Amino acid sequence: MNEKLNVNLKKFNINDVFYFIKKHSKCKFIESVDVSINLSIDIKDSNQNICGSVIYPNSIKKKDIKIIVFAPKNLSEIAYKYGAYIVGTNDLFDKIKNKSIYYDLVLSVPESINIVSKLGSILGPKNLIPNLKSGTLTNDLKNTLLSFINGRVIYRNDRFGIIHSTIGKLNFTDIQLIDNFKVLISSINSNKPGKLKKNLIKKITISSTMGKGYVINLLNLSYCV
């Protein structure tokens, strides 16, 4: 690798960028590797919003993730068995309404979604309303809970049409980070709106938590079209 040449490039090859991110990290803690993806969607058209989830080949597990589940009593046993923090319906609604519990993620089975929808003013700004695209509205509580406990990641564009996500830690190998990156990009492209004729992805920037951003050269990424 010609380091002197590469550091002066405005856009970086995905195969090289993690070398520079790691080299210039000055933090005493292990930073995350974060990706910002600018999309060419019309943010005024709600049908073009991008939302989905991925299970990375190299998992990013969040310690002690608190998942609450809206489900009837007959499903509470299986939900608790596979990692739910709190399971309920109207009683869980009251806990959220009164802000008496902390939670990282909200799941729901379809028959309980009407209860959850009444919490839109609370869950909406946090992007926590269960839906099919993110995999948080489900009939398969067992496998859904296990997937999120084991590192499943939800992504969605913000009001500027940008997706912010994490693909790993600086102690991952470059190959592990590249593999996770490819899975994320492939998943995002699979959700491309049908009426969008141009490329979905306009720009990709990768950085560590506290580090500078490196713009990726999209010309070398066949999975970015």
Side-chain angles (χ1 to χ4, degrees), residues 101-124:
I101 58 171
Y102 172 83
Y103 47 91
D104 298 299
L105 185 67
V106 181
L107 303 184
S108 178
V109 295
E111 62 192 285
S112 298
I113 194 61
N114 287 337
I115 299 173
V116 186
S117 62
K118 297 175 183 177
L119 293 165
S121 61
I122 297 174
L123 300 180

Side-chain angles (χ1 to χ4, degrees), residues 54-60 151 153 165-168 179-181 183-184:
V54 290
I55 300 174
Y56 289 131
N58 306 288
S59 177
I60 308 170
V153 174
S165 191
T166 297
I167 58 171
D179 287 346
N180 284 0
F181 172 81
V183 167
L184 175 63

Side-chain angles (χ1 to χ4, degrees), residues 62 66-67 73 91 93 118 130 133 161 165 189 203 211:
K62 183 175 180 179
K66 288 182 168 56
I67 304 174
K73 190 173 182 179
D91 54 332
F93 173 93
K118 297 175 183 177
K133 287 186 176 181
S165 191
N189 274 309
K203 179 181 177 182

Side-chain angles (χ1 to χ4, degrees), residues 115-180:
I115 299 173
V116 186
S117 62
K118 297 175 183 177
L119 293 165
S121 61
I122 297 174
L123 300 180
K126 300 177 182 178
N127 290 319
L128 289 177
I129 297 177
N131 63 80
L132 290 172
K133 287 186 176 181
S134 67
T136 50
L137 179 60
T138 178
N139 274 314
D140 188 356
L141 284 178
K142 172 185 174 180
N143 287 314
T144 301
L145 280 162
L146 288 175
S147 69
F148 281 109
I149 287 170
N150 287 312
R152 186 175 184 175
V153 174
I154 296 173
Y155 61 81
R156 54 171 55 82
N157 62 270
D158 63 16
R159 62 191 180 94
F160 301 107
I162 303 172
I163 290 175
H164 303 277
S165 191
T166 297
I167 58 171
K169 297 280 190 177
L170 279 188
N171 58 353
F172 282 26
T173 67
D174 290 5
I175 296 299
Q176 288 176 321
L177 291 168
I178 290 170
D179 287 346
N180 284 0

